[in-house]
Amino acid sequence: MKADRELDLKGEICPYTFVKSKLALEEIAVGEVLRVVVDYPPAVENVPRSMENEGNEVLSVQPIGPSQWEIMVRKVG
Amino acid sequence: MFGFSEEEIRRYSRHIILPEVGGRGQKKLRESRVLVVGAGGLGSPVAMYLAAAGIGTLGLVDMDRVELSNLQRQLLHTTADAGELKVESARRRLAALNSQLRLELHPVRLGADNVASLISGYDVVVDGVDNFPARYLLNDACVLAGKPLVEGGLLRFHGMAMTIVPGSGPCYRCVFPEPPPPGAVPSCSEAGVIGAAAGIIGTVQATEAIKVLLGIGRPLVGRVLTVDVLEGTYRTVEWGKNPRCPVCGEHPTITSLRELAEYDLACDLPGAGTRAP
Amino acid sequence: MFTEEQIRRYSRHILLPEVGGAGQRRLLAARVLLLGAGGLGSPTAYYLAAAGVGTLGICDPDVVDLSNLQRQILHAEADLGRPKVDSAAEKLRALNPDVRVVCHRTGIDRGNALDLLADYDLVVDGTDNFATRYLVADACHLAGKPLVHGSIFRFEGQVTVFLPGEGPCYRCLYPEPPPAGLVPSCQEAGVLGVLPGIIGTVQAAEAIKLLLGIGRPLVGRLLTYDALEMDFHTLAVHRDPACSLCGDTPSITALGEYGFSCEVGACPTA
Ligand SMILES: [Zn+2]
Ligand SMILES: [Zn+2]
């Protein structure tokens, strides 16, 4: 799947992982997909949950390397 | 992202996280211009919390100098500031809190001749004045200019607040049609006040200003908040427009700023740092 | 005797029949412990210092962080990285040299809680997590100290006063802490900056009423506040005879374990 916007949040901790994801989600259009890469373990659960709480659709969360995860999320109106 | 620096993202992260504010709202705050009239008991928390919240431009109107008797409630000033212009003392404190804030200082007395031009450049006006003539003048000027005004007042242990959005709710005169006759209320220097009461009303006013700027929540339009700190009672009362209001009613008699000249008498008490804050 | 400077400084209090010279002397002799110099503690400390509360103890282990400045008005940009207690003490002394500020650069825990409280007449809770709130509530009850409780969440806040022997305690309201290990989501860290300003200022007002013995403190009443709606409600709360702390046969007679703590960076900070 191709993302409309990518956000590299390696080295970033909570809550800034979500703060920055949220800013990016605000900027993209409804229906577009955001790809976020994190390496802060709590963010792997935290960020997708927070995105869902905001009504967005989390498409996938998967490891992409040693201590690196990719979160794909679609903005919902 | 929204043109925020890394520093801004960190500083305002607690706002950005809120769905009701977000990056969009924080950007709006940064672009907002708020005029705070009075740098005293009410103006202190209003200015400090708006500065902390990331309001872009803050105008401050006050011609008084810091007195020791102010320091029991006016957090903007310190003991070392005694004798200085309040706006100068405020500038130091606010710049230290947030160096991004643009400050516009107006060390002038609010009068019929300058009120329209003072409020004209701002999105929202917050009333932190300490006397009735200035309060009515500000109300009338804001109604005539269609400018949102966040009202607040204090007496001893009591406080009130309301938000006036001309056209969509009552104004101060709808609630209190006439200023009390001179002498009917305790004179400025007679009225004691509890500092925290000023803090409660001032922080409510700052909240209302932010809500109006962001267009979120339900501001105190058509409602009056009354607080009795001693009893610990906090109430909101619904209040409609008065069709016979002299400034916002169906047949207004106050239609131009010239008619506001009567208020130039002002509070004749020294310092005027009084009844309200 | 008041100095000429004090008469001027406290004139607005001295004019109030409910305070007067006698009340002002009481405030100057009073000792208040503030737990937390953050969002709630900032306005509480400021207004109590301005009012002339003679001794203010400030207990906070943290240093000033950029994300604090959106609401913690005791601290300024120049204080980044500085212990909050030091930054607070500087501001409060500049505001009112009559106030003796005592810095406790530590968190409160079961080991130090009772010692910390011992020197004070009253405690104001401005801490930011459940574990600490239960510890503070238990310690204040066991030590017989009045406690002004405040808490905030996003756009909402609440204030109440716990007076041991009179009215309910924190555990009457909330018998059990939330389950341990419940990690708060990032979103829970969101807070309208001015919200703790209101709640902390109401706490300061309640503290002053208690110190002066005037008015009706929020004992047995929980004041709840919604900033978005601008609505205040007062709920009556009663002492629970079965309460584990203040009930007829209490099971908590000493400070226990307060298992979970909040993860730095992820927790809602008052
Ligand atoms: Zn009207
Ligand atoms: Zn109990």
Side-chain angles (χ1 to χ4, degrees):
Chain A
M1 168 170 297
K2 195 180 167 318
D4 298 283
R5 173 130 181 207
E6 308 230 357
L7 203 54
D8 181 355
L9 296 180
K10 291 198 293 288
E12 198 55 275
I13 60 163
C14 288
Y16 301 109
T17 45
F18 177 61
V19 171
K20 291 185 174 177
S21 305
K22 185 178 180 327
L23 285 173
L25 279 167
E26 280 189 57
E27 283 184 332
I28 65 175
V30 171
E32 289 190 328
V33 173
L34 171 70
R35 176 177 183 264
V36 180
V37 176
V38 297
D39 62 3
Y40 181 66
V44 182
E45 274 191 58
N46 226 328
V47 171
R49 182 154 51 107
S50 298
M51 288 168 167
E52 277 177 348
N53 288 346
E54 299 247 304
N56 300 292
E57 182 189 357
V58 175
L59 304 171
S60 65
V61 181
Q62 53 194 12
I64 54 168
S67 310
Q68 278 185 28
W69 295 267
E70 171 201 87
I71 302 163
M72 298 291 281
V73 57
R74 187 193 309 277
K75 177 168 174 170
V76 178
Chain B
M1 291 188 273
F2 291 96
F4 289 133
S5 66
E6 188 66 22
E7 185 183 315
E8 286 175 302
I9 291 177
R10 272 164 212 279
R11 181 185 274 251
Y12 304 117
S13 54
R14 302 311 178 96
H15 273 164
I16 293 170
I17 287 172
L18 291 168
E20 294 83 352
V21 183
R24 198 159 284 120
Q26 194 61 46
K27 184 161 175 274
K28 233 184 203 174
L29 292 180
R30 191 177 59 185
E31 289 161 358
S32 296
R33 301 172 49 85
V34 179
L35 183 69
V36 180
V37 186
L42 295 173
S44 284
V46 171
M48 290 168 94
Y49 277 101
L50 291 181
I55 296 290
T57 304
L58 201 66
L60 213 46
V61 183
D62 203 311
M63 67 167 301
D64 287 344
R65 290 176 184 275
V66 178
E67 293 175 27
L68 267 184
S69 64
N70 301 152
L71 300 181
Q72 166 254 22
R73 68 201 175 286
Q74 302 185 8
L75 309 185
L76 273 173
H77 318 298
T78 69
T79 307
D81 300 322
E84 246 203 292
L85 274 176
K86 284 188 180 178
V87 290
E88 279 303 324
S89 158
R91 182 182 51 76
R92 266 198 303 277
R93 185 80 192 97
L94 297 171
L97 278 179
N98 194 341
S99 54
Q100 301 293 304
L101 175 70
R102 280 183 303 278
L103 273 166
E104 298 174 350
L105 306 182
H106 308 282
V108 296
R109 176 174 214 92
L110 193 75
D113 54 330
N114 63 10
V115 63
S117 70
L118 277 171
I119 65 174
S120 68
Y122 296 92
D123 304 315
V124 172
V125 179
V126 182
D127 177 4
V129 304
D130 52 16
N131 63 84
F132 282 106
R135 174 151 303 148
Y136 281 83
L137 174 64
L138 202 52
N139 176 72
D140 295 353
C142 285
V143 170
L144 293 179
K147 190 80 64 184
L149 168 66
V150 183
E151 191 58 63
L154 284 182
L155 184 65
R156 296 165 189 257
F157 291 92
H158 296 267
M160 65 77 68
M162 66 184 284
T163 298
I164 296 156
V165 176
S168 62
C171 77
Y172 191 73
R173 279 186 191 272
C174 292
V175 182
F176 306 102
E178 290 297 328
V185 290
S187 74
C188 303
S189 47
E190 282 164 26
V193 67
I194 203 91
I200 292 167
I201 298 299
T203 45
V204 164
Q205 288 180 283
T207 308
E208 289 290 294
I210 288 172
K211 284 159 65 181
V212 169
L213 290 169
L214 295 181
I216 59 170
R218 195 160 65 103
L220 285 169
V221 175
R223 292 185 297 156
V224 179
L225 172 72
T226 63
V227 173
D228 179 340
V229 170
L230 212 48
E231 281 296 303
T233 52
Y234 301 75
R235 294 203 177 95
T236 48
V237 184
E238 304 272 333
W239 209 294
K241 260 180 88 135
N242 175 8
R244 285 182 304 190
C245 173
V247 64
C248 80
E250 287 157 13
H251 306 287
T253 53
I254 300 169
T255 53
S256 79
L257 287 172
R258 192 156 13 132
E259 293 175 58
L260 301 172
E262 59 188 286
Y263 297 116
D264 271 343
L265 334 155
C267 183
D268 56 357
L269 289 139
T274 41
R275 184 173 37 244
Chain C
M1 273 305 278
F2 292 118
T3 63
E4 191 60 31
E5 182 174 326
Q6 286 176 322
I7 291 173
R8 276 167 208 287
R9 182 182 287 270
Y10 305 118
S11 53
R12 298 313 179 85
H13 276 162
I14 295 170
L15 289 167
L16 288 167
E18 296 85 351
V19 184
Q24 190 60 50
R25 270 187 288 273
R26 268 175 101 151
L27 291 177
L28 285 165
R31 296 163 305 170
V32 174
L33 177 63
L34 301 177
L35 298 172
L40 294 172
S42 282
T44 311
Y46 252 139
Y47 280 105
L48 293 182
V53 169
T55 303
L56 274 182
I58 302 187
C59 179
D60 198 311
D62 292 337
V63 297
V64 179
D65 180 80
L66 189 53
S67 66
N68 301 152
L69 300 185
Q70 164 253 24
R71 66 200 176 287
Q72 303 185 9
I73 57 169
L74 262 179
H75 315 299
E77 289 177 1
D79 300 313
L80 291 173
R82 232 178 141 194
K84 286 187 180 176
V85 289
D86 294 345
S87 162
E90 185 187 280
K91 310 298 185 306
L92 300 175
R93 286 173 187 141
L95 178 63
N96 190 351
D98 286 347
V99 179
R100 190 170 69 96
V101 183
V102 183
C103 294
H104 304 280
R105 198 192 161 190
T106 171
I108 185 167
D109 56 45
R110 65 182 292 205
N112 66 9
L114 293 172
D115 282 344
L116 271 173
L117 304 189
D119 289 336
Y120 297 94
D121 306 316
L122 179 150
V123 179
V124 183
D125 188 358
T127 62
D128 55 11
N129 65 81
F130 283 107
T132 310
R133 275 191 216 127
Y134 280 91
L135 167 71
V136 169
D138 291 357
C140 286
H141 182 81
L142 295 173
K145 306 279 182 186
L147 170 63
V148 182
H149 164 86
S151 66
I152 53 166
F153 182 71
R154 291 172 168 232
F155 290 93
E156 289 164 39
Q158 55 183 44
V159 182
T160 189
V161 173
F162 301 117
L163 266 191
E166 207 183 305
C169 77
Y170 187 64
R171 285 187 187 266
C172 293
L173 261 80
Y174 307 105
E176 288 302 325
L182 193 78
V183 182
S185 84
C186 291
Q187 289 162 309
E188 286 170 37
V191 64
L192 183 71
V194 62
L195 171 67
I198 297 184
I199 298 300
T201 312
V202 172
Q203 287 181 281
E206 289 299 311
I208 286 172
K209 285 159 64 180
L210 290 168
L211 294 173
L212 295 176
I214 60 170
R216 199 156 64 97
L218 290 170
V219 175
R221 291 186 292 160
L222 178 69
L223 177 71
T224 66
Y225 167 68
D226 180 338
L228 273 183
E229 287 293 308
M230 195 47 77
D231 257 339
F232 290 88
H233 288 286
T234 316
L235 309 169
V237 280
H238 301 284
R239 179 178 160 272
D240 175 5
C243 174
S244 56
L245 180 63
C246 78
D248 298 337
T249 50
S251 57
I252 298 170
T253 54
L255 297 181
E257 278 299 334
Y258 301 85
F260 62 103
S261 67
C262 213
E263 200 173 323
V264 176
C267 71
T269 303

